[in-house]
């Protein structure tokens, strides 16, 4: 199983919290459907976990541990790291207190190394200890650096090898104050919180291999005109408008699965071996025309994750992941959860951002299933996925499709998204140690139905597989050909998440739905062979870990700009722009713009990124941190940075401290307008 990349892992951590951050932490906000397990809902699930059995005695030693003793005996022994002494801790977890919870160390030694390096850089004792979960090494994160070691839990719900720092001298126990944290996210005081937002770290990535670009704290070195933030306006929380009608129809008969298919285990056949399920995916004019419209009996309310988007054929589309709907009886004060799908969609018809007001998002006619406000799910599910989710509902297991990147334009009317496929497991007893496994991705072709709203065609049940890098799941960039932005020529470039940064693949636009036609940059040439996730920095186009990103060509700046959030989860949108190897400004001209370069995107391979700059900092969320951050290309028409202007709409999602049944829903989709002008330095 390929490891789940950081982008989606953070998404999950912060989404209906089915994903772990610290290992044994209890979740305050249980996944929405776990709060209401009695619900008969589509597309959700869950069984008691079998993984995560604590290590008790011999036989549970990991071959990667430094003190190569069985857990029990190793516990309490002292050993030397590179420059400090440590006490081994076995199967003990510490709730929250994470400095940096997103390391994939793959060995106890590497995890130890990260903790020591953190202390080298920030002061002895800042990393007071760490826990390494060998069983998570084939997933996305296995190493958790701890700022303090309070509230020890024994035994942990997962097998853990950890160590605490032994004070070396009297002074070494003095813990220096946190680094200047002007906009530091709030940390919760609750000891049961699963995610303590990491303190804001300096821009230095934790991985030494990736550190080159961000060590410098000096001002811009680029001479001449540089993209500079000249205006930044916070708009607030987006408001949902829901349709008052739905397409009335007889519900489709659910598919039954044979016993073997219903076993709790990852079964990729459920994705690849079944047709798309009726009653999933949005209606279009073509299939709704034989039905009539009926009035909804409730005004459903929504709580949801994600919210990336872009402009498709003139419509501003916002795409969400896990979505719960709540109904409300006439005189009731509180609503009730009545549905859950792994994706939904909305459009902005109000254009409120033009006047600096919070976005108003309309949930169009096509995605409603019935009169009580259940949704069909935006991305169609296979009958295998849907039947599994329905049958195993309430036991802690489900398949999900989570579109979590901005749409990549295909031509003037259509766009594509490579949406991650994920298998989730959560222990229903204590709701701790949820696990999720990447099962590749699926390719969506997006069009806009003028009546029923944005529609996704799932072109392949599975596109890139669970054993491959999930090309495109982090997004990509369209290289238009000489015929401009309407035609299906030019190339599509896709990003691939590697251990220490971002890889690049490409395909000729007309061949976008044939995975055999993709080629990958290996550092020297384009090859049909995929590079390894451990690729050297030569093959990487971005040399640092990334959580979410958008890469655009800005005609006004004549260069590429990347807008991104890092796994440090520091509530900050960053940007870099492409400069020459000698830090000179570039003037990159696309082929449709009079004699430009057909391979203009490949400037990414030959040039270098400016230093990391702050685009804006999100006000500290009530809980957790900002995630699913992105730039919504095209919102401002000709004033938009994607179209030659300098304005951009950025959006993200965060948790509120509020019960999901309350009107502000527990999740907030927020936005900010930025002007990135072109100032002479
Ligand atoms: C493991 O070692 C720690 C530190 O020496 C000690 O506090 C703890 O009780 C030990 N746990 C077990 C299960 O032996
Ligand atoms: C854009 O591409 C889609 C998918 O191939 C196609 O159906 C559509 O007609 C194209 N639009 C235009 C304007 O050519
Ligand atoms: C694109 O938008 C135009 C103008 O709203 C509309 O007439 C056309 O049908 C749309 N095309 C597609 C393929 O959605
Ligand atoms: C470009 O700027 C970086 C600092 O941001 C500096 O380390 C590097 O030496 C510069 N390169 C050249 C060729 O001036």
């Amino acid at each position: 199983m390929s490891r789940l990349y950081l982008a989606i892992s953070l998404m999950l951590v912060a989404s209906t919290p089915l994903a772990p951050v610290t290992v044994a932490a209890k979740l305050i906000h249980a996944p929405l459907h776990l709060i209401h397990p009695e619900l008969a809902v589509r597309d959700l699930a869950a069984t008691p976990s079998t993984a995560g059995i604590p290590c008790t005695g011999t036989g549970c030693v990991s071959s990667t541990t430094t003190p190569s003793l069985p857990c029990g005996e190793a516990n309490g022994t002292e050993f030397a790291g590179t420059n400090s002494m440590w006490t081994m801790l076995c199967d003990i977890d510490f709730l929250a207190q994470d400095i940096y919870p997103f390391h994939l160390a793959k060995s106890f030694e590497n995890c130890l190394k990260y903790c020591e390096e953190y202390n080298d850089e920030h002061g002895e004792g800042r990393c007071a200890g760490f826990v390494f979960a060998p069983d998570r090494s084939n997933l996305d994160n296995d190493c958790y650096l701890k700022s303090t070691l309070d509230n020890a839990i024994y035994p942990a719900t997962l097998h853990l090898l950890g160590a605490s720092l032994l004070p070396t001298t009297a002074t070494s126990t003095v813990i220096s104050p946190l680094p200047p944290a002007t906009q530091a996210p709030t940390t919760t005081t609750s000891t049961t919180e699963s995610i303590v937002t990491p303190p804001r770290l300096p821009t230095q990535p934790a991985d030494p291999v990736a550190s080159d670009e961000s060590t410098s704290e000096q001002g811009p070195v680029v001479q001449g005109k540089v993209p500079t933030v000249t205006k930044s306006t916070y708009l607030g929380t987006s408001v949902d408008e829901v349709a008052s009608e739905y397409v009335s129809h007889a519900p489709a008969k659910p598919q039954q699965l044979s016993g073997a298919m219903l076993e709790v285990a990852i079964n990729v056949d459920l994705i690849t071996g079944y047709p798309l399920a009726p009653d999933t995916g949005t209606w279009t004019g073509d299939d709704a025309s034989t039905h009539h419209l009926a009035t909804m009996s409730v005004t459903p309310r929504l709580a949801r994750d994600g919210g990336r988007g872009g402009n498709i054929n003139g419509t501003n589309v916002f795409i969400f992941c896990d979505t719960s709907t709540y109904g409300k009886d006439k005189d009731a004060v509180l609503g009730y959860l009545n549905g859950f799908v792994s994706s939904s969609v909305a459009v902005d018809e109000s254009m409120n951002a033009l006047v600096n007001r919070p976005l108003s998002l309309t949930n169009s006619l096509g995605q409603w299933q019935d009169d009580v406000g259940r949704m069909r799910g935006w991305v169609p599910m296979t009958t295998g996925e849907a039947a599994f989710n329905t049958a195993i509902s309430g036991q802690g297991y489900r398949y999900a499709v989570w579109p979590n990147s901005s749409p990549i334009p295909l031509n003037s009317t259509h766009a594509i998204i490579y949406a991650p496929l994920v298998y989730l497991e959560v222990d229903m007893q204590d709701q701790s140690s949820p696990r999720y496994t990447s099962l590749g991705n699926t390719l969506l072709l997006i069009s806009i139905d003028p009546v029923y709203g944005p529609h996704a065609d799932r072109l392949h049940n599975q596109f890139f597989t669970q054993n491959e890098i999930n090309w495109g799941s982090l997004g990509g960039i369209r290289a238009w050909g000489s015929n401009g932005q309407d035609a299906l020529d030019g190339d599509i470039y896709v990003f691939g998440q590697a251990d220490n940064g971002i890889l690049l693949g490409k395909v000729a636009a007309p061949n976008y739905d044939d995975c055999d036609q993709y080629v990958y940059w290996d550092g020297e040439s384009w090859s049909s062979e995929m590079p390894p996730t451990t690729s050297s920095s030569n093959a990487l186009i971005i040399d640092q870990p990334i959580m979410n990103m958008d890469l655009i060509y800005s005609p006004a700046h004549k260069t590429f700009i990347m807008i991104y959030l890092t796994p440090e989860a520091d509530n900050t949108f960053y940007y870099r722009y492409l400069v020459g190897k000698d830090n000179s400004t570039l003037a990159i001209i696309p082929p449709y713009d009079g004699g430009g370069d057909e391979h203009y995107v490949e400037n990414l391979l030959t040039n270098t990124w400016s230093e990391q700059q702050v685009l804006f900092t999100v006000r500290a969320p009530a809980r957790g941190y900002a995630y699913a951050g992105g730039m919504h290309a095209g919102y401002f028409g000709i004033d938009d940075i994607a179209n030659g202007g300098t304005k951009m709409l950025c959006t993200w999602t965060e948790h509120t401290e509020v019960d999901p049944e309350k009107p502000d829903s527990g999740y907030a989709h927020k936005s900010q307008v930025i002007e990135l002008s072109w100032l002479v330095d």
Side-chain angles (χ1 to χ4, degrees):
M1 225 40 61
S2 68
R3 82 182 182 84
L4 199 54
Y5 43 89
L6 284 169
I8 195 70
S9 71
L10 256 174
M11 172 77 200
L12 303 184
V13 162
S15 55
T16 56
L18 286 169
V21 171
T22 191
V23 188
K26 290 252 193 308
L27 300 163
I28 283 184
H29 287 210
L32 296 171
H33 64 277
L34 300 181
I35 302 169
H36 305 263
E38 74 286 359
L39 281 168
V41 294
R42 171 196 309 288
D43 196 21
L44 68 83
T47 38
S49 169
T50 49
I53 296 162
C55 169
T56 51
T58 59
C60 51
V61 64
S62 158
S63 57
T64 59
T65 60
T66 292
S68 50
L69 290 169
C71 243
E73 289 173 42
N75 185 49
T77 58
E78 294 179 8
F79 65 95
T82 307
N83 47 21
S84 35
M85 290 295 294
W86 300 84
T87 305
M88 183 81 189
L89 298 173
C90 198
D91 293 327
I92 297 174
D93 196 6
F94 304 93
L95 290 178
Q97 308 163 75
D98 290 308
I99 293 171
Y100 191 82
F102 307 110
H103 275 302
L104 185 71
K106 295 206 163 140
S107 71
F108 178 86
E109 289 86 346
N110 280 343
C111 193
L112 167 68
K113 195 176 96 200
Y114 287 137
C115 192
E116 292 200 323
E117 281 170 1
Y118 190 85
N119 285 338
D120 287 349
E121 193 173 318
H122 299 91
E124 184 72 6
R126 290 293 311 286
C127 179
F130 61 92
V131 297
F132 169 68
D135 299 341
R136 291 194 50 85
S137 288
N138 59 347
L139 298 174
D140 68 305
N141 59 335
D142 56 11
C143 169
Y144 307 80
L145 307 189
K146 301 286 178 180
S147 56
T148 51
L149 301 175
D150 300 329
N151 309 315
I153 302 288
Y154 177 85
T157 56
L158 274 182
H159 172 36
L160 292 179
L161 298 158
S164 63
L165 185 65
L166 265 180
T168 45
T169 66
T171 54
S172 68
T173 52
V174 177
I175 294 178
S176 59
L178 292 178
T182 38
Q183 306 276 1
T186 50
T187 51
T188 172
T189 51
S190 166
T191 53
T192 55
E193 173 58 273
S194 69
I195 304 162
V196 170
T197 304
R200 179 154 177 203
L201 304 179
T203 53
Q204 170 99 15
D207 194 312
V209 205
S211 64
D212 297 5
E213 298 199 351
S214 45
T215 44
S216 172
E217 299 270 316
Q218 312 142 14
V221 290
V222 176
Q223 300 301 307
K225 295 171 169 181
V226 297
T228 307
V229 177
T230 50
K231 207 166 173 191
S232 184
T233 311
Y234 171 67
L235 304 188
T237 304
S238 308
V239 178
D240 277 308
E241 307 287 340
V242 301
S244 55
E245 292 183 307
Y246 71 103
V247 177
S248 175
H249 67 289
K253 209 162 166 250
Q255 165 99 15
Q256 300 290 319
L257 290 179
S258 70
M261 283 300 185
L262 285 180
E263 270 168 29
V264 162
I266 292 169
N267 193 340
V268 177
D269 282 353
L270 291 171
I271 298 171
T272 56
Y274 289 80
L276 296 179
D279 273 0
T280 69
T282 57
W283 294 103
T284 64
D286 293 341
D287 48 30
S289 57
T290 55
H291 302 283
H292 70 276
L293 296 183
T295 307
M296 292 243 214
S297 59
V298 299
T299 303
R301 215 159 24 67
L302 303 169
R304 56 189 169 183
D305 247 334
R308 304 286 296 277
N311 188 289
I312 305 173
N313 197 29
T315 300
N316 288 304
V317 178
F318 295 79
I319 294 157
F320 294 88
C321 302
D322 285 352
T323 301
S324 304
T325 51
Y326 294 84
K328 185 154 133 5
D329 292 324
K330 277 226 156 46
D331 303 312
V333 178
L334 283 184
Y336 52 88
L337 178 65
N338 71 7
F340 183 83
V341 289
S342 72
S343 62
S344 66
V345 75
V347 301
D348 180 348
E349 291 166 342
S350 68
M351 298 304 290
N352 279 355
L354 292 178
V355 289
N356 291 339
R357 299 231 316 272
L359 305 181
S360 172
L361 302 180
T362 302
N363 292 274
S364 326
L365 191 55
Q367 62 182 330
W368 299 100
Q369 172 74 350
D370 59 24
D371 65 323
V372 297
R374 293 202 179 96
M375 288 183 139
R376 298 167 62 83
W378 184 59
V379 180
M381 304 295 279
T382 68
T383 55
E385 295 161 343
F388 179 94
N389 287 358
T390 305
I392 313 293
S393 169
Q395 293 181 48
Y397 296 84
R398 67 180 167 114
Y399 290 83
V401 187
W402 275 326
N404 186 31
S405 53
S406 300
I408 305 168
L410 183 63
N411 56 20
S412 60
T413 56
H414 288 62
I416 56 176
I417 284 186
Y418 303 77
L421 299 169
V422 185
Y423 179 73
L424 292 105
E425 308 166 65
V426 64
D427 185 325
M428 294 299 282
Q429 276 187 330
D430 61 0
Q431 291 169 14
S432 69
S433 325
R435 279 169 296 284
Y436 42 92
T437 306
S438 167
L439 297 177
N441 61 24
T442 175
L443 180 63
L444 308 177
L445 174 65
I446 308 165
S447 54
I448 310 295
D449 187 293
V451 177
Y452 296 91
H455 180 78
D457 277 316
R458 185 169 172 180
L459 297 183
H460 297 269
N461 290 7
Q462 188 191 41
F463 197 56
F464 291 106
T465 73
Q466 65 276 19
N467 301 314
E468 296 170 335
I469 290 174
N470 289 341
W471 297 97
S473 286
L474 194 67
I477 181 168
R478 181 72 165 92
W480 299 107
S482 48
N483 294 326
Q485 311 205 357
D486 291 339
L488 202 55
D489 60 352
D491 292 313
I492 292 166
Y493 289 81
V494 287
F495 309 134
Q497 185 93 47
D499 292 349
N500 299 316
I502 306 300
L503 296 161
L504 196 64
K506 73 169 174 179
V507 67
N511 302 329
Y512 71 99
D513 77 337
D514 180 355
C515 57
D516 293 335
Q517 302 288 325
Y518 285 66
V519 291
Y520 310 95
W521 182 248
D522 66 9
E524 279 165 15
S525 60
W526 293 101
S527 158
S528 54
E529 215 163 289
M530 294 184 191
T533 55
T534 52
S535 289
S536 70
S537 57
N538 236 7
L540 301 175
I541 56 153
I542 294 164
D543 223 358
Q544 77 177 89
I546 296 287
M547 174 163 74
N548 303 124
M549 88 172 199
D550 286 295
L551 175 62
I552 52 153
Y553 172 72
S554 166
H557 303 97
K558 292 198 170 36
T559 190
F560 292 92
I561 300 177
M562 59 182 282
I563 312 288
Y564 59 101
L565 277 66
T566 77
E568 288 176 19
D570 56 2
N571 296 325
T572 305
F573 280 66
Y574 294 101
Y575 72 103
R576 295 176 190 261
Y577 48 94
L578 203 66
V579 295
K581 282 256 188 251
D582 58 354
N583 294 330
S584 57
T585 46
L586 297 172
I588 298 168
I589 312 290
Y592 53 86
D593 204 2
D597 173 13
E598 186 190 345
H599 298 295
Y600 68 119
V601 170
E602 290 179 25
N603 276 286
L604 296 175
L605 308 176
T606 51
N607 292 293
T608 182
W609 291 106
S610 71
E611 284 178 78
Q612 174 162 287
Q613 325 249 349
V614 172
L615 188 69
F616 68 100
T617 305
V618 172
R619 302 165 182 209
R623 171 170 178 255
Y625 44 82
Y627 62 95
M631 199 209 74
H632 189 103
Y635 190 96
F636 295 106
I638 56 164
D639 294 333
D640 198 277
I641 193 156
N643 299 327
T646 55
K647 286 180 87 171
M648 59 172 102
L649 178 68
C650 293
T651 65
W652 68 96
T653 286
E654 62 187 48
H655 288 262
T656 66
E657 242 337 324
V658 175
D659 187 296
E661 294 189 10
K662 297 275 168 53
D664 52 358
S665 84
Y667 294 83
H669 180 260
K670 297 190 165 185
S671 57
Q672 182 119 0
V673 179
I674 303 290
E675 269 181 48
L676 197 61
S677 299
W678 198 13
L679 290 192
V680 178
D681 183 37

